[in-house]
Amino acid sequence: LRARDHAAAIDAFRALIARYPRHDYADNAQYWLGEAYYDQKDYPRAVTEFRATVSAYPLGNKVPDALLKIGLAYAALGEPAKARAALEQVIQKFPKSAPAVIAATRLGEMP
């Protein structure tokens, strides 16, 4: 992903999840799938992958980040109500997290 080879990154993340769905890094791989699509500005697919992070790994360390990115993706898609709901969820569920700070800032910038 850092090399911006999105296709290879997506394949590698999907392979890790398929082979090791309960591995400690599976939630991270799922989250980074979302980042790969987000980086390509494919916001609908990014939302799908970030939502999969939250639903498949609800106790994972990437849940706050995934919720934040869902909000940012909805904002990029021009869906402010959905963006606001996702950003508020980050703050409500993870108030002391770094993603909550970013979410609060972004909420303050929204009309």
Side-chain angles (χ1 to χ4, degrees), residues 20-67:
Y20 307 105
R22 294 289 152 219
H23 190 278
D24 284 346
Y25 294 134
D27 61 329
N28 291 309
Q30 181 62 56
Y31 170 81
W32 286 103
L33 269 173
E35 283 287 353
Y37 289 112
Y38 188 91
D39 193 44
Q40 297 176 86
K41 298 184 179 4
D42 186 348
Y43 301 118
R45 289 188 76 179
V47 167
T48 298
E49 299 301 344
F50 290 132
R51 286 202 181 282
T53 303
V54 175
S55 64
Y57 307 98
L59 302 177
N61 68 322
K62 287 300 193 182
V63 171
D65 298 284
L67 290 171

Side-chain angles (χ1 to χ4, degrees), residues 65-100:
D65 298 284
L67 290 171
L68 172 64
K69 283 303 187 101
I70 289 168
L72 299 179
Y74 277 132
L77 287 167
E79 297 189 42
K82 289 181 178 179
R84 184 174 295 281
L87 295 173
E88 288 172 350
Q89 191 176 15
V90 178
I91 295 166
Q92 180 185 27
K93 289 187 172 187
F94 305 97
K96 296 183 188 281
S97 68

